Amino acid sequence: ILTDEALHRMRNIGDLTVGRINEALNNYLPENIQYSKIDEPLQSEYRTEAILPDPETHIAIEWARVFTDDDTLGSLLQAHQNGIDIPLEVTTGMDIILAIPIPKLSGYHVPLLGDLIDELIAEAGDSDLFVARECSQHTPTLEELGASRNRTRERIRQIVARDTKIIREALTTERFQSIRWAAEQLRIELGILIPIDHGCIKRWRERLGEERFEILRWVAGYVHDSTSLILGKKARSELKQALNDAIGDKWLIETKDLITSLDILVRPEIALGFVLETGQWRDIGDGWLLRWDGAIQHKAERVLRLACRPMTPDELVDAIGHGSVGSLKNQHGSTLIRIDKELRLALREWGYEEYEGITTEIEQRIDRGGGVASVSAILEEFVSAFGVKEGSVRAYLEAGPYTISGDEVRHLANRGYTPSNVSGRRHAIRIGDKWGQRFTVSDANMRGYSFDLDRDIAAHNGLQPDDSLVVPAIHADTVVGEASLIWRLTYLRGTVDVGRLSSVLKGLGVDAGDEIVIVATPESCAVLLDSETPQQRRSTVSDDIRRSLLGRQ
């Protein structure tokens, strides 16, 4: 049924006679559709009766009616898409029906989207200027446009503002409703942000052409932003905020849940790329993202949660993909604990017994027992729980500050230390009224590893067992840094740790392989270069005298 309005939309009809109207209809509709002609001029309706004589089309319709009692084109399409095996002769008939051009089905001319866009822009008083200013990928300035047209910047602005208003008003009319629909579809397909080289944009460009596409993206509200199209200048911040709101404090998220929970329109791959670009998340496959920011301890915690089992530092470094085993061996705290001699890490919430070294564990067992513990119980527990050897536990018991009687072990009543004479030791050197120790600096020392100071030398200088001190590091009576001095009686090697000297050595120009002397006291830690020691000076004088005597001979 064709209304007067529909007839007037047809090109070149206007107030034609009824005969010429029927002639125009026959030019637009299939030859096999016949019309009941009305003699009265400009009647409100024209009735058509379609006749599809092709046998194939009748077969297709007959087949479709098997699955529906409806008789519309929609039911035919639904039957075509319901997944049922379709006979070849039915498919052929459907292809014929579905290939009928839309203008012939509608009864009047339907302009293409590109043609409508041209008609819309033609509404502007200066369409070329409007397109150049508002619908270009690289927007020229008002000054540049004014110079090219010999007009002022302000005049160019006024013209563009006038035409913008005209075009926006035209867009509200029924004539350009198809452009409004297309703009809405563009927003659905592109979302709030999309790279300019995305395949979706390429398809629209190929369909409409460069200039027409730029006009449609302007209608849809998109602007260019570096390499992307964004829906409004705040699109990036809006997308970031929407993602942050959806993620919250989660450490593991499923991408499909993330996308569905967003309150903003965005393509899934764009949202995923935006999240990964922050560097705070890691794609672990199968549609899952793992939070990947913070220190290595935090990453180790998340890996453990995924693995659901304790892991060694080597395993964790391999899973994390960076860092060193050394950086993880001491990474334990409120959430991570070491559970055995292999330094396997576990989550504290898993309920494992924390392993803090044999000596600390022995101390804890004695304290728990009110000053006494069972040797056999310690051996049984440590071997089974921490994986240490029985011989190692016995060695710590015998070397530590303990007294053992039968199966009972207690703290040693007097934890003091009486040093032996060090004057005959090769590495010991007298420095004033103190004793120093000569060291050959290693690569490990330069990286921050401690020096092992003879505890007899330390005791002669006034240090005591269980001392844990941070003192000034001195060179040539000048403070050049600080040093840590830690004396553990339970340390089997029987030495005192002297640490934190790496930066001091580098500042003094010391390299691995050089000789230094360390003089550690409760008040300071002096570092002397080998050439600055009294013995080295005496040795140099002796060499000079020997060479002089040899010269006389």
Side-chain angles (χ1 to χ4, degrees):
I1 299 175
L2 301 177
T3 64
D4 288 345
E5 182 180 4
L7 288 173
H8 282 291
R9 288 178 184 171
M10 298 173 61
R11 292 183 178 180
N12 304 320
I13 290 183
D15 295 327
L16 295 177
T17 62
V18 174
R20 294 186 63 189
I21 289 175
N22 283 289
E23 181 182 352
L25 287 173
N26 284 317
N27 288 334
Y28 278 95
L29 293 172
E31 295 178 356
N32 56 2
I33 298 182
Q34 308 206 353
Y35 311 94
S36 57
K37 299 181 181 180
I38 303 177
D39 294 334
E40 293 79 13
L42 297 180
Q43 293 291 329
S44 60
E45 293 183 350
Y46 281 76
R47 304 185 181 277
T48 67
E49 181 179 357
I51 300 175
L52 300 174
D54 299 323
E56 293 87 350
T57 57
H58 285 294
I59 292 175
I61 294 172
E62 181 181 350
W63 179 86
R65 291 298 295 273
V66 172
F67 301 99
T68 177
D69 291 331
D70 200 357
D71 58 0
T72 65
L73 180 61
S75 65
L76 181 63
L77 293 175
Q78 184 62 39
H80 188 261
Q81 298 173 4
N82 63 7
I84 301 174
D85 291 335
I86 304 175
L88 178 60
E89 61 271 22
V90 173
T91 303
T92 302
M94 286 186 174
D95 290 342
I96 293 174
I97 295 173
L98 298 178
I100 298 175
I102 291 177
K104 293 187 177 182
L105 286 176
S106 64
Y108 62 92
H109 175 67
V110 179
L112 297 175
L113 177 60
D115 295 336
L116 270 178
I117 292 175
D118 291 342
E119 294 177 16
L120 174 66
I121 292 301
E123 296 288 316
D126 192 333
S127 59
D128 291 340
L129 178 60
F130 176 82
V131 170
R133 177 62 181 171
E134 298 293 332
C135 306
S136 300
Q137 185 171 352
H138 305 288
T139 305
T141 65
L142 293 174
E143 289 82 357
E144 291 171 340
L145 290 172
S148 66
R149 292 168 173 264
N150 196 26
R151 293 190 177 185
T152 65
R153 175 184 184 278
E154 177 59 20
R155 183 53 185 156
I156 294 296
R157 187 197 65 78
Q158 292 173 353
I159 294 173
V160 173
R162 177 204 65 194
D163 287 343
T164 298
K165 181 179 180 181
I166 291 172
I167 290 175
R168 292 202 183 282
E169 289 177 351
L171 276 169
T172 63
T173 64
E174 183 179 352
R175 176 185 176 191
F176 297 114
Q177 64 182 359
S178 297
I179 296 181
R180 299 199 302 272
W181 298 338
E184 178 61 25
Q185 183 60 31
L186 193 68
R187 286 189 287 267
I188 292 172
E189 292 187 28
L190 304 191
I192 192 172
L193 180 149
I194 192 168
I196 197 65
D197 59 354
H198 194 277
C200 186
I201 293 181
K202 290 181 179 179
R203 289 194 298 273
W204 278 93
R205 286 188 186 278
E206 290 172 358
R207 175 187 174 187
L208 297 175
E210 182 70 26
E211 182 176 303
R212 289 170 170 175
F213 171 77
E214 290 294 332
I215 295 170
L216 183 61
R217 66 90 185 155
W218 176 85
V219 172
Y222 287 93
V223 296
H224 287 276
D225 174 32
S226 62
T227 60
S228 301
L229 279 184
I230 59 176
L231 194 56
K233 295 182 179 180
K234 296 182 179 179
R236 290 187 181 277
S237 59
E238 291 174 3
L239 178 56
K240 180 180 179 181
Q241 185 61 52
L243 288 168
N244 288 339
D245 292 343
I247 292 172
D249 59 356
K250 299 183 183 71
W251 64 276
L252 182 68
I253 54 177
E254 192 170 9
T255 54
K256 65 178 183 180
D257 290 341
L258 173 63
I259 300 303
T260 55
S261 62
L262 289 176
D263 59 356
I264 199 168
L265 189 62
V266 61
R267 295 181 69 92
E269 71 274 16
I270 303 302
L272 177 60
F274 201 84
V275 171
L276 294 177
E277 284 175 6
T278 65
Q280 298 176 340
W281 292 85
R282 180 176 179 179
D283 188 348
I284 59 176
D286 296 329
W288 290 92
L289 297 180
L290 176 67
R291 186 178 287 277
W292 209 239
D293 56 355
I296 192 171
Q297 176 182 355
H298 301 142
K299 295 177 181 178
E301 176 186 343
R302 294 162 197 152
V303 170
L304 288 172
R305 292 190 184 280
L306 288 177
C308 298
R309 65 175 179 83
M311 298 174 69
T312 66
D314 293 279
E315 291 175 322
L316 286 168
V317 168
D318 184 59
I320 293 171
H322 66 85
S324 65
V325 172
S327 65
L328 270 180
K329 283 184 177 178
N330 295 318
Q331 285 290 342
H332 57 282
S334 59
T335 58
L336 300 180
I337 61 171
R338 294 181 299 186
I339 63 170
D340 56 27
K341 71 183 182 76
E342 302 298 332
L343 302 181
R344 285 194 304 160
L345 293 174
L347 297 177
R348 184 179 296 277
E349 63 196 52
W350 289 350
Y352 285 91
E353 175 73 29
E354 183 172 8
Y355 176 70
E356 300 181 77
I358 293 178
T359 55
T360 302
E361 296 296 336
I362 292 174
E363 297 278 343
Q364 291 177 354
R365 299 311 181 276
I366 295 174
D367 291 339
R368 291 176 191 173
V372 62
S374 168
V375 173
S376 59
I378 287 175
L379 293 174
E380 181 180 358
E381 179 187 358
F382 287 17
V383 171
S384 61
F386 304 134
V388 296
K389 295 181 180 179
E390 181 178 325
S392 297
V393 181
R394 289 189 181 278
Y396 277 92
L397 286 169
E398 295 168 0
Y402 313 116
T403 176
I404 300 175
S405 177
D407 189 49
E408 295 181 344
V409 57
R410 292 178 171 83
H411 290 302
L412 192 64
N414 180 10
R415 296 169 71 93
Y417 183 78
T418 302
S420 301
N421 189 348
V422 299
S423 60
R425 299 183 185 180
R426 183 171 54 86
H427 58 257
I429 177 172
R430 190 76 179 184
I431 305 294
D433 62 344
K434 303 297 181 183
W435 283 94
Q437 181 171 340
R438 192 184 304 278
F439 291 95
T440 300
V441 179
S442 68
D443 289 328
N445 296 140
M446 296 302 296
R447 294 195 305 270
Y449 280 73
S450 300
F451 291 89
D452 293 330
L453 182 68
D454 187 313
R455 63 182 174 182
D456 290 326
I457 291 177
H460 278 296
N461 288 348
L463 291 170
Q464 296 293 322
D466 293 332
D467 275 350
S468 181
L469 308 173
V470 176
V471 298
I474 297 175
H475 176 259
D477 296 327
T478 302
V479 176
V480 292
E482 63 180 18
S484 62
L485 308 174
I486 303 175
W487 185 341
R488 301 181 182 91
L489 264 179
T490 54
Y491 195 20
L492 290 184
R493 287 195 292 182
T495 58
V496 178
D497 282 343
V498 180
R500 302 192 185 186
L501 289 180
S502 174
S503 60
V504 172
L505 297 177
K506 293 175 182 177
L508 296 176
V510 176
D511 294 320
D514 291 346
E515 298 285 331
I516 64 169
V517 173
I518 292 177
V519 184
T521 73
E523 293 78 30
S524 66
C525 180
V527 179
L528 290 76
L529 304 183
D530 192 49
S531 61
E532 299 170 338
T533 63
Q535 286 188 3
Q536 180 63 25
R537 288 199 293 272
R538 287 197 296 272
S539 175
T540 302
V541 172
S542 298
D543 290 343
D544 291 342
I545 294 174
R546 185 170 59 255
R547 283 193 295 270
S548 176
L549 291 173
L550 289 173
R552 291 176 185 176
Q553 294 177 355

